[in-house]
Amino acid sequence: MPFLNELKQTLPNVKAYRLMQQLFKENPGLFDIMDTSKTILQAKKKLKTWGLEVLRENKSAYAYYLRKQTGNLQLEKLRSKDYAAIRILDYIQHSGRQFKDPNLKGEIVENDPFAILMQCARKGTGGGTPAYFYDMIHLFRQFSGHEYPEPQNREISTWMDRYSSGLDPAVIGQRKKNKLRIMKIIIQIIDKRRVKSKRFCFKKGMSRQKKLALAKTWWNDHKFHLKFAVRTPEGLNEMLDFSLDRKTMNTLKQAQQVGIPFFVNPYYLSLLDTQASPVSLGADLAIRQYIIYSKELVAEFGNINAWEKEDIVEPGKPNAAGWIVPDDCIHRRYPNVAILIPKSMGRACGGLCSICQRMYGFQHGDLNFDFDKLQARTSVEDRLETSITYFEHDSQLRDILITGGDALMSTNKTIRKILQSVYKMAKRKLAANANRKEGEKYAQILRVRLGTRLPVYLPMRIQAGLISILAEFKEKASKVGIQQFVFQTHFESPMEITPETKYCVDQLNNAGWIVTNQQVFTSAASRRGHTAKLRKVLNDIGILPYYVFTVKGYMENSSLFSPNARLAQESMEEKRMGLLEEKFHPGIRQLPLDAENIVEKLSQLRTDADIPFIASDRNVLNLPGVGKSLTFRTIGITNDGRRILEFDHDATREHSPIIEKIGKIIIIESKSIHDYLLQLDNMGEDVSEYASIYGYSLSETEPRMPIFEYPAYDYEPTQTITNLDLGY
């Protein structure tokens, strides 16, 4: 039986039916509509009239509903009940639409929330679940005028204080013990020749004390950690002092059987607790979610699809964003920036993140952790010149993001070659502009970024040799018009910020490079106060938050997924504590020009503004089409309570013209708010602190902080767009 027909016959469970009765008891007007309407169309007509009556009390809300006036300023004029009225009207307007649900392997779902309700009320069928009815109960509470008080700064601070940082003395002490325990395990591994290495080995007859002393010196060598990274569930459990429970181990063994790689290095494993401790209870959950695979990922592995469609590259053909790129070394969404992925060891990573957007590449064997083979068959010069020339002859590109994999997995020699090639390209582009007329000049390179997670995974990779290369490049590149030098990294938790990472970031800053952070808003990272605390500790060591992302992917990442309503809630209720008034914008705009003193500058800015952290980041979803956005409206809900969102593109930045053809993007979330709250409850959270989450049914993308804007040219670049094909 087709899924749609099956739902109409499905009996709700007892809890779902009782929740429906509660909904009608709280809302006699809704019950009357469902009871007296002869058809669902008649019921929707009455609901529409009801919703419009509420919106007409607020002209701004009515204009917003009609999309005549949008944006953050207009959003601020909406009352809580206006959110609910707009959602009811959007449910009605979009009812009957059918979508392929990637969470259900492409099953067709029909968006008709009130039909589910009427079917259950009239016939006792319809497939409505408790999660669906919880969402409907909160919708009509909001519609009737119920509001939750916004958390005060004192409450937000209390939430932040729940989370330890890797710089806390007690945490540092615990990790010293972890480090010693792990080194002793590695000594046994070497002695038993379970891992063979010419570089990391002991001489015959060496005492245990001398072996340990030697292992302590090796700990500061990033290659040691790559060599002894665990690659099996059993190895992972051994390094974690056999603290993983049987259920977790069974899932990890299943992951190994289906072909999901394991790769976690000793340093990163030393950040995990192996005993419950009041000092850091639950603080490492966000780290654990990165290395402990979920049963959903295991079940879906082999059927995972690429989330970001523009990552699918065919040389000479337009990608999903309409850009023609020479090969898979270039990924591009926007007019102003493109990603360079050199054919080097930078295509590898220092570890496998469970939420990796390129997990679909691992399932086909295109990506792996066989470093020896990768190093043997690649040469950075193979395609680098083609890639760099693409930037040189493009009319709009002014920002190059060198990543992978991980840019710092390349050797210093390779990084020097790549940066030297970028320098020469920027110099040629500058010279070519001298021969172009005003209005015809190309955009020159203004910003160079290196994308890496090694400051988190392997901070010991950042040593004097690399720092020298970075400082030398900055000095030369500054003379050919490049003004911003950025490391773009990925801290997920304040527990990842350690004395080693602080030293590493200090070194990068001293080389004249600023460091920015992109966080993924996993379920563990989404806990009240967690992201706010991360922002504060990042600021403390000189890092600027850049983005907070909703988890990408479909059912494979559902365990890690936090609903977009929670991301909007975090932005409106927690992040606001760190918003910087406009009068301080000139100060933050100057930070890239004084990276060497950024710690002091950030501290002074926070003191002057009287805020605990600077919320310089934007909360967004990476759309599976083109671009990042948190501009959405909830247009429906599935029978199991998963919201259907209609996303529009970020109106605050330039896009490929292809978005005019793409239109709005439909996202069917992989988890209901009710199921998300149950997950938080299992993490020890008081879910009553999240009660307002159901009300966040629409959102607007935040404006970008001035520090992330491109510097102005002293000329007007051409409006001509090259390397673009819209005719397909």
Side-chain angles (χ1 to χ4, degrees):
M1 180 183 292
F3 185 61
L4 290 176
N5 294 333
E6 180 183 319
L7 278 184
K8 292 176 182 178
Q9 304 299 321
T10 302
L11 180 73
N13 66 25
V14 174
K15 185 170 184 178
Y17 196 81
R18 286 180 176 166
L19 287 170
M20 181 192 70
Q21 291 175 319
Q22 180 182 338
L23 172 66
F24 287 146
K25 184 177 180 180
E26 292 182 11
N27 300 277
L30 177 61
F31 174 77
D32 185 64
I33 288 174
M34 292 295 161
D35 187 53
T36 61
S37 298
K38 294 181 180 179
T39 65
I40 185 60
L41 291 177
Q42 191 178 65
K44 289 175 185 175
K45 186 175 180 180
K46 293 177 182 177
L47 283 166
K48 183 175 181 179
T49 300
W50 197 8
L52 288 172
E53 284 175 359
V54 170
L55 283 190
R56 288 194 175 110
E57 297 169 4
N58 182 353
K59 291 182 180 179
S60 296
Y62 187 59
Y64 190 93
Y65 163 65
L66 296 176
R67 303 182 192 269
K68 290 182 178 180
Q69 297 177 17
T70 56
N72 279 287
L73 292 178
Q74 194 68 13
L75 185 65
E76 292 173 4
K77 299 176 183 178
L78 270 59
R79 304 166 299 175
S80 179
K81 67 191 304 184
D82 295 328
Y83 277 66
I86 290 171
R87 178 149 49 122
I88 289 169
L89 293 170
D90 280 345
Y91 278 4
I92 295 167
Q93 180 181 341
H94 295 277
S95 64
R97 292 182 67 183
Q98 295 185 353
F99 308 104
K100 284 186 178 180
D101 188 348
N103 301 287
L104 302 177
K105 295 184 170 58
E107 286 270 18
I108 300 297
V109 297
E110 184 173 3
N111 179 34
D112 210 340
F114 293 116
I116 295 172
L117 181 58
M118 182 173 251
Q119 184 85 0
C120 190
R122 290 288 188 85
K123 298 185 178 180
T125 59
T129 63
Y132 162 85
F133 283 109
Y134 276 120
D135 208 301
M136 295 296 281
I137 286 170
H138 283 88
L139 168 60
F140 279 92
R141 284 177 183 170
Q142 186 181 24
F143 185 59
S144 65
H146 179 79
E147 295 186 34
Y148 293 96
E150 285 194 9
Q152 300 301 304
N153 286 356
R154 183 180 299 178
E155 188 174 11
I156 299 170
S157 296
T158 300
W159 293 337
M160 292 169 63
D161 289 343
R162 293 172 180 170
Y163 300 101
S164 302
S165 137
L167 297 176
D168 294 344
V171 175
I172 292 173
Q174 178 58 46
R175 287 171 172 178
K176 284 182 179 177
K177 296 177 183 177
N178 289 345
K179 173 181 171 181
L180 181 61
R181 174 178 48 78
I182 290 172
M183 282 192 290
K184 288 179 178 178
I185 293 171
I186 293 175
I187 289 171
Q188 291 179 5
I189 290 172
I190 295 172
D191 285 343
K192 294 179 180 179
R193 298 183 62 80
R194 286 164 51 189
V195 174
K196 299 176 184 178
S197 171
K198 293 181 180 179
R199 182 170 183 167
F200 305 110
C201 58
F202 302 122
K203 293 179 180 178
K204 281 187 177 181
M206 187 177 282
S207 69
R208 288 178 59 83
Q209 189 175 2
K210 287 185 177 180
K211 287 178 181 178
L212 185 58
L214 186 56
K216 287 179 178 178
T217 65
W218 290 340
W219 189 269
N220 297 317
D221 185 338
H222 76 280
K223 291 183 179 179
F224 169 78
H225 293 276
L226 294 176
K227 185 66 179 178
F228 291 96
V230 297
R231 294 173 178 266
T232 66
E234 292 79 9
L236 179 62
N237 200 20
E238 180 184 22
M239 289 283 192
L240 292 178
D241 204 21
F242 302 99
S243 59
L244 299 178
D245 61 72
R246 182 173 294 183
K247 183 178 179 181
T248 299
M249 283 300 294
N250 286 339
T251 300
L252 294 179
K253 290 174 182 178
Q254 291 168 13
Q256 185 179 39
Q257 290 170 5
V258 300
I260 304 178
F262 286 81
F263 195 86
V264 195
N265 73 70
Y267 165 79
Y268 199 63
L269 285 171
S270 74
L271 308 187
L272 294 177
D273 291 335
T274 57
Q275 299 175 345
S277 165
V279 172
S280 57
L281 186 63
D284 70 348
L285 284 179
I287 302 177
R288 286 180 177 274
Q289 285 194 334
Y290 262 57
I291 65 174
I292 306 294
Y293 303 141
S294 68
K295 64 182 189 309
E296 290 84 2
L297 174 60
V298 174
E300 295 294 315
F301 194 76
N303 298 300
I304 297 172
N305 295 312
W307 175 264
E308 295 176 355
K309 307 304 180 188
E310 64 275 17
D311 281 357
I312 301 173
V313 174
E314 291 187 61
K317 294 183 179 180
N319 67 7
W323 301 108
I324 298 173
V325 295
D327 52 38
D328 66 355
C329 293
I330 301 286
H331 291 196
R332 187 175 184 184
R333 292 176 164 191
Y334 300 108
N336 298 331
V337 57
I339 293 173
L340 170 64
I341 306 178
K343 289 285 186 181
S344 71
M345 275 289 290
R347 292 216 162 202
C349 290
L352 177 57
C353 305
S354 64
I355 50 85
C356 181
Q357 65 174 334
R358 295 191 174 92
M359 192 65 77
Y360 69 91
F362 284 100
Q363 74 185 355
H364 298 304
D366 301 330
L367 302 175
N368 57 68
F369 289 93
D370 192 337
F371 298 140
D372 293 335
K373 286 185 178 179
L374 181 63
Q375 199 166 22
R377 69 169 184 263
T378 59
S379 170
V380 71
E381 289 89 354
D382 285 350
R383 297 187 185 176
L384 183 57
E385 196 58 38
T386 300
S387 300
I388 290 296
T389 301
Y390 180 82
F391 283 84
E392 179 182 351
H393 297 299
D394 189 274
S395 63
Q396 301 300 320
L397 286 175
R398 62 202 69 187
D399 183 354
I400 180 169
L401 171 55
I402 303 162
T403 181
D406 192 301
L408 291 192
M409 286 296 289
S410 293
T411 63
N412 286 353
K413 181 180 179 182
T414 297
I415 290 172
R416 186 188 292 276
K417 286 180 181 178
I418 294 169
L419 291 178
Q420 179 69 5
S421 187
V422 171
Y423 163 72
K424 290 180 178 178
M425 174 270 292
K427 187 176 181 180
R428 293 194 301 267
K429 200 169 189 182
L430 178 66
N433 260 354
N435 299 317
R436 295 190 178 108
K437 299 177 182 178
E438 282 297 322
E440 296 179 3
K441 295 180 184 294
Y442 280 15
Q444 294 163 196
I445 302 299
L446 296 172
R447 180 186 295 163
V448 175
R449 289 185 278 170
L450 289 172
T452 177
R453 185 162 154 79
L454 291 199
V456 187
Y457 268 143
L458 282 172
M460 51 283 294
R461 167 65 179 94
I462 290 81
Q463 300 289 350
L466 174 64
I467 297 303
S468 175
I469 291 168
L470 296 171
E472 175 192 333
F473 172 75
K474 187 196 173 185
E475 183 179 358
K476 291 194 308 182
S478 297
K479 297 174 182 177
V480 295
I482 300 175
Q483 300 180 44
Q484 296 180 347
F485 303 84
V486 183
F487 263 83
Q488 197 161 288
T489 190
H490 171 44
F491 287 91
E492 182 69 8
S493 165
M495 289 289 278
E496 291 176 324
I497 300 173
T498 66
E500 292 90 342
T501 60
K502 182 180 183 303
Y503 177 77
C504 138
V505 172
D506 285 343
Q507 295 299 102
L508 295 173
N509 289 158
N510 289 336
W513 292 64
I514 67 167
V515 183
T516 65
N517 191 64
Q518 298 187 138
Q519 178 201 357
V520 179
F521 204 59
T522 60
S523 50
S526 74
R527 290 171 292 169
R528 282 289 202 185
H530 183 277
T531 295
K533 178 63 175 282
L534 175 60
R535 292 186 184 104
K536 180 187 181 301
V537 184
L538 288 171
N539 285 171
D540 289 344
I541 67 169
I543 298 179
L544 284 161
Y546 183 37
Y547 280 121
V548 178
F549 288 112
T550 304
V551 171
K552 294 178 232 179
Y554 300 108
M555 189 52 66
E556 71 272 10
N557 284 335
S558 61
S559 177
L560 306 180
F561 175 75
S562 302
N564 287 279
R566 171 63 188 127
L567 192 62
Q569 182 189 43
E570 199 282 333
S571 177
M572 297 291 285
E573 297 187 8
E574 291 152 79
K575 183 194 287 191
R576 63 169 178 77
M577 191 179 180
L579 294 181
L580 202 61
E581 292 180 42
E582 197 167 331
K583 65 181 179 181
F584 296 108
H585 285 186
I588 200 168
R589 192 188 294 271
Q590 295 302 311
L591 290 178
L593 305 178
D594 192 15
E596 294 86 345
N597 297 302
I598 196 168
V599 173
E600 294 78 13
K601 297 282 187 181
L602 284 174
S603 178
Q604 190 61 54
L605 266 174
R606 288 185 287 169
T607 299
D608 293 345
D610 193 24
I611 54 178
F613 57 84
I614 296 176
S616 51
D617 51 318
R618 297 203 295 168
N619 290 12
V620 293
L621 168 67
N622 248 327
L623 297 176
V626 180
K628 306 171 182 70
S629 176
L630 201 65
T631 300
F632 71 83
R633 279 162 63 160
T634 305
I635 64 168
I637 186 170
T638 63
N639 72 295
D640 55 355
R642 294 178 296 117
R643 290 185 172 187
I644 302 173
L645 310 181
E646 184 182 70
F647 273 82
D648 210 342
H649 292 87
D650 173 13
T652 69
R653 69 176 300 169
E654 289 186 58
H655 288 274
S656 163
I658 195 70
I659 67 168
E660 297 172 9
K661 292 186 176 183
I662 291 177
K664 297 179 174 62
I665 306 292
I666 300 297
I667 301 291
I668 303 177
E669 295 190 320
S670 61
K671 182 189 293 174
S672 70
I673 290 178
H674 175 61
D675 287 340
Y676 166 70
L677 294 176
L678 288 177
Q679 187 177 16
L680 291 182
D681 180 66
N682 287 331
M683 292 181 194
E685 291 292 285
D686 178 356
V687 296
S688 68
E689 295 176 346
Y690 299 79
S692 63
I693 185 175
Y694 281 99
Y696 287 95
S697 55
L698 50 85
S699 174
E700 294 282 345
T701 309
E702 302 157 281
R704 190 157 48 175
M705 285 288 287
I707 189 173
F708 300 123
E709 298 291 348
Y710 296 114
Y713 292 112
D714 58 4
Y715 62 91
E716 190 65 36
T718 179
Q719 297 298 306
T720 301
I721 300 178
T722 56
N723 294 313
L724 183 70
D725 182 355
L726 297 176
Y728 68 96

